[in-house]
Amino acid sequence: FVDTPLAICEARDAKGLYRKARDGQIKNFTGISSPYETPIGPEVSIEGWRDPADVLVQRLLTEDESTLDAWRRDLARSLGASGGSVLAEVIPDIAYVIGPQPPPPPLAPAESLNRFRRVFQAFVAAAARPEHPLVVFLDDLQWADAATLKLLAPLLAGGEIRGLLIVGACRDNEPDAAQGLAGLAAQLAADGVPLRQVALPPLRLADIGALIGDALRAQPADAEPLAKLCMEKTGGNPFFVGQFLMELY
């Protein structure tokens, strides 16, 4: 069960199905013209977009009262009159910092999405400062949808966010899937955003031996037979090396 707010679902809808449902082209569309029934007792539950932001909010709540008050004032100033309520729809725990929030004024889908982007950008700007830097790691960016990439661009190119570092990982052997990411990188480079690309080549035999030796507390000579087996089976691919060792374990 993937629990994600409707506004985020619409933002991630690459096929435009939500827009068609709102225009009446698709009937009985769950969440738009048909009610959504939350599953009872799902085996797995994932809260889309909430976890990383919740971690940040929980970190804020560990601060002393004077520091928390300062954060409360900064967020109120950054989010504006209705920004807190918009953010609380996606990050409910933010209410513990800024207080209970009323529902945001209803808007049309396009305006609602634009409002969310502005509020989220203001939230990140308030949270990511030189004296309080924020590092975000995003994996498998080659599969990122267009809406996510559009959300990242202003965060990095806006200029008002001065304490944010985004580290992304992607596979370069899936060029078709990574076209959107390549476009984002080109746009950021044109805007003067410093980018650093780090290519990860296959591990060498010595690297695998050092990894095994460190994990097993073994001498290089003792780790060499297993290291050679790993190299033979995985070709030095870091992911496959890890998986192969886990299978052996």
Side-chain angles (χ1 to χ4, degrees):
F1 169 50
V2 180
D3 182 9
T4 305
L6 182 60
I8 304 299
C9 292
E10 293 190 64
R12 293 174 172 173
D13 181 18
K15 296 182 179 180
L17 299 179
Y18 281 89
R19 185 179 65 254
K20 292 180 180 179
R22 289 190 180 278
D23 292 341
Q25 300 178 37
I26 301 178
K27 305 298 182 182
N28 300 319
F29 195 89
T30 301
I32 303 297
S33 54
S34 180
Y36 176 73
E37 297 181 0
T38 303
I40 300 175
E43 293 184 2
V44 178
S45 181
I46 301 174
E47 296 185 334
W49 266 100
R50 288 187 179 181
D51 288 348
D54 279 348
V55 170
L56 177 59
V57 172
Q58 293 298 326
R59 179 70 177 271
L60 295 180
L61 292 174
T62 64
E63 302 283 1
D64 59 74
E65 193 59 33
S66 61
T67 303
L68 187 58
D69 283 340
W71 276 106
R72 191 174 290 117
R73 291 191 298 270
D74 289 344
L75 287 172
R77 183 171 57 252
S78 299
L79 297 177
S82 63
S85 57
V86 173
L87 195 62
E89 283 194 321
V90 182
I91 314 173
D93 283 354
I94 196 67
Y96 294 118
V97 179
I98 61 177
Q101 299 294 310
L107 293 176
E111 288 78 7
S112 178
L113 178 57
N114 289 334
R115 179 177 62 182
F116 169 75
R117 286 173 176 168
R118 289 194 302 269
V119 168
F120 189 76
Q121 185 175 352
F123 172 66
V124 174
R129 300 174 295 187
E131 67 274 17
H132 187 275
L134 177 64
V135 179
V136 179
F137 175 73
L138 302 173
D139 201 3
D140 287 326
L141 275 177
Q142 75 278 358
W143 293 325
D145 55 87
T148 298
L149 297 178
K150 288 181 179 179
L151 192 62
L152 290 176
L155 296 181
L156 294 168
E160 65 274 13
I161 303 177
R162 298 181 294 117
L164 175 65
L165 171 64
I166 293 183
V167 180
C170 70
R171 301 179 186 178
D172 59 4
N173 61 348
E174 298 187 37
D176 293 338
Q179 287 182 357
L181 180 60
L184 173 63
Q187 176 188 340
L188 293 175
D191 291 337
V193 178
L195 301 175
R196 181 179 179 184
Q197 296 187 16
V198 180
L200 299 180
L203 296 175
R204 299 170 302 172
L205 178 62
D207 299 325
I208 300 176
L211 173 66
I212 294 173
D214 184 64
L216 301 180
R217 299 182 181 179
Q219 295 298 320
D222 296 328
E224 186 175 355
L226 180 55
K228 288 182 176 180
L229 179 62
C230 284
M231 177 62 78
E232 177 186 342
K233 296 295 185 180
T234 67
N237 181 292
F239 176 77
F240 293 152
V241 168
Q243 294 295 107
F244 182 67
L245 291 175
M246 288 295 293
E247 288 295 325
L248 292 179
Y249 178 77

